[in-house]
Amino acid sequence: MTVRRGDKVPISIQEHMAINVCPGPIRPIQQISDYFPRYTPWPEGTPSPTGQPHKLSPLDIPHQAAEQVDGADDLDNYDSDDGTSLGTLEFELFYDQEKCILQCDILRAKGLKPMDFNGLADPYVKIHLLPGACKANKLKTRIVRNTLNPTWNENLTYCGITSEDMAKKILRISVCDEDKLSHNEFIGETRVPLRRLKPGVRKHFNLCLERQIPLERCQEWELEERGRILLSLMYSTESGGLVVGILRCAHLAAMDVNGFSDPYVKTYLKPDVEKKSKHKTAVKKKTLNPEFNEEFFYKITLHELQKRSLEVTVWDYDLGKSNDFIGGVTLGMNSKGECLKHWMECLSSTNQRAEHWHTLTNELPGSTYTD
């Protein structure tokens, strides 16, 4: 188009808007599409509608094609403000399959969100296993005062974690701010499916904290799982009887208002017509992870033992009123899963002690829970 001297150069509305929003000195542009990022690019080296070869930039590329361009990895690793504003958490996980132990090494956090008036926070970390009773399996670190970059270097350990747990459970790690004048405040969390871990291999994590995620079906599982118990069984041919070891329990359900229980364990060898087979451990005060390390002996032949079943129940001791049932498990020929496997191992390998963790349930077939 030819413009005579003195005439104004016509400007389209698109170019006018682009010039108005452009910071700094006004510079002429060829057209609006050269100013704004292009989301439907042409292959590199092919002419654009302006006739000029157009070299692709990462902003020009749809998300699906990002992997095909150099530098796309930087885009994948970029964290949005929503994630980085809460901070990052560094920790390590290790699963010992033989001992059924999950170790959680909480190392440090960086760039946490300020929660106090002084622009700092008093952070600590708490962990839960989901699904499960959250109060029963909660572990937490110490509090580090007045910092947004705390270092803990603490080891939090779960006992009684079976291979089945590793396949279905999720570790929830939350960072909170301790507040003496009101309720503690939630900063952020992250979750790790335990199936991502390999037994015997320590895995390092450095993850951005996220906002609180709904617990989904946590309440349903709280009614089913009541904790774990570690039992040992051995049939002694020398003594002519069954040796039952009550070793320990882990993350039992809390039955008292203080958030703990006063647990003890009872065992029966059923059927028990004369009701003489009951054994009872000592009571452990104010704990959800008691250690008993007690053994009981039942005089019985191996042939007769095959017709019996061992009932193990865990109770919360209450002074002056009825004791509360926490959970139980039955081992015998009619059992299933880990219980049947443990019972068969005891019967087939005499004079050898067999230890297994078992999940406590809130119901045992054919039992009435009165103490």
Side-chain angles (χ1 to χ4, degrees):
M1 180 179 63
T2 303
V3 180
R4 289 178 297 184
R5 181 175 297 182
D7 292 345
K8 293 183 178 181
V9 179
I11 300 177
S12 66
I13 185 63
Q14 291 89 349
E15 293 179 338
H16 180 73
M17 293 176 62
I19 291 173
N20 284 343
V21 300
C22 178
I26 299 175
R27 292 190 298 268
I29 59 177
Q30 294 184 356
Q31 63 178 35
I32 193 72
S33 59
D34 287 342
Y35 181 78
F36 289 104
R38 196 175 288 115
Y39 293 101
T40 54
W42 300 272
E44 184 173 355
T46 60
S48 68
T50 60
Q52 299 296 327
H54 178 62
K55 183 176 178 61
L56 299 181
S57 68
L59 290 177
D60 295 330
I61 302 167
H63 178 71
Q64 293 83 352
E67 298 179 354
Q68 301 176 3
V69 181
D70 294 339
D73 291 339
D74 295 335
L75 293 178
D76 292 339
N77 294 329
Y78 180 78
D79 294 311
S80 67
D81 290 342
D82 289 342
T84 56
S85 62
L86 300 179
T88 61
L89 180 65
E90 189 174 353
F91 57 96
E92 293 181 348
L93 301 178
F94 177 80
Y95 176 59
D96 189 328
Q97 188 174 22
E98 183 178 350
K99 297 181 179 180
C100 296
I101 290 177
L102 175 64
Q103 295 181 357
C104 310
D105 295 325
I106 308 299
L107 303 179
R108 62 189 63 85
K110 292 184 179 179
L112 295 179
K113 179 182 177 181
M115 304 299 290
D116 299 335
F117 291 113
N118 59 3
L120 300 174
D122 302 317
Y124 65 94
V125 175
K126 62 180 180 179
I127 61 177
H128 302 91
L129 281 175
L130 302 177
C134 295
K135 290 184 179 180
N137 64 56
K138 179 179 72 174
L139 300 175
K140 65 180 182 178
T141 67
R142 72 182 188 280
I143 299 169
V144 181
R145 300 288 179 184
N146 296 323
T147 180
L148 300 180
N149 301 285
T151 298
W152 291 283
N153 290 327
E154 287 192 40
N155 177 269
L156 305 178
T157 302
Y158 282 109
C159 298
I161 305 301
T162 63
S163 298
E164 183 181 357
D165 294 324
M166 297 299 292
K168 70 178 183 180
K169 285 188 175 290
I170 295 174
L171 182 67
R172 179 192 184 195
I173 308 177
S174 306
V175 181
C176 300
D177 170 58
E178 195 263 352
D179 197 330
K180 294 182 178 179
L181 301 179
S182 62
H183 295 292
N184 295 343
E185 297 179 292
F186 174 85
I187 298 178
E189 70 171 44
T190 186
R191 300 189 183 188
V192 179
L194 297 185
R195 62 177 179 271
R196 295 176 58 184
L197 304 181
K198 295 181 179 179
V201 178
R202 184 174 298 274
K203 189 172 180 62
H204 184 88
F205 295 87
N206 190 6
L207 303 177
C208 287
L209 296 174
E210 303 177 29
R211 285 165 175 77
Q212 196 161 14
I213 307 170
L215 295 182
E216 296 176 349
R217 297 187 301 167
C218 183
Q219 297 296 329
E220 174 186 342
W221 282 81
E222 286 183 8
L223 298 176
E224 296 177 3
E225 292 195 8
R226 309 304 295 270
R228 306 296 173 87
I229 187 168
L230 179 59
L231 301 175
S232 71
L233 299 178
M234 181 184 70
Y235 185 83
S236 172
T237 55
E238 181 178 353
S239 302
L242 175 67
V243 181
V244 179
I246 310 298
L247 304 182
R248 64 186 303 174
C249 294
H251 28 92
L252 296 175
M255 306 301 290
D256 298 335
V257 293
N258 60 5
F260 293 99
S261 294
D262 301 320
Y264 66 95
V265 180
K266 293 193 304 180
T267 64
Y268 288 92
L269 197 59
K270 294 191 171 184
D272 183 21
V273 179
E274 299 180 357
K275 297 183 179 180
K276 295 182 178 180
S277 69
K278 181 176 78 170
H279 289 293
K280 185 187 299 186
T281 68
V283 177
K284 302 296 180 179
K285 294 289 186 178
K286 294 184 180 180
T287 179
L288 300 179
N289 299 279
E291 292 191 27
F292 299 100
N293 294 318
E294 297 187 35
E295 286 189 344
F296 306 127
F297 179 75
Y298 291 101
K299 185 72 174 182
I300 188 173
T301 65
L302 184 60
H303 177 73
E304 184 65 23
L305 184 61
Q306 296 177 4
K307 304 176 184 179
R308 301 288 189 94
S309 61
L310 179 68
E311 180 180 288
V312 182
T313 54
V314 184
W315 297 79
D316 169 54
Y317 175 77
D318 286 323
L319 181 63
K321 59 179 181 179
S322 298
N323 298 329
D324 298 319
F325 173 71
I326 297 178
V329 63
T330 299
L331 293 85
M333 298 300 293
N334 295 325
S335 303
K336 297 180 180 179
E338 198 69 26
C339 295
L340 178 59
K341 177 182 177 182
H342 194 184
W343 190 252
M344 294 300 296
E345 186 176 349
C346 170
L347 297 180
S348 60
S349 302
T350 57
N351 300 318
Q352 296 183 19
R353 191 180 307 275
E355 294 184 4
H356 285 277
W357 283 94
H358 298 280
T359 301
L360 298 174
T361 62
N362 59 357
E363 182 177 271
L364 285 175
S367 299
T368 55
Y369 296 121
T370 57
D371 192 31

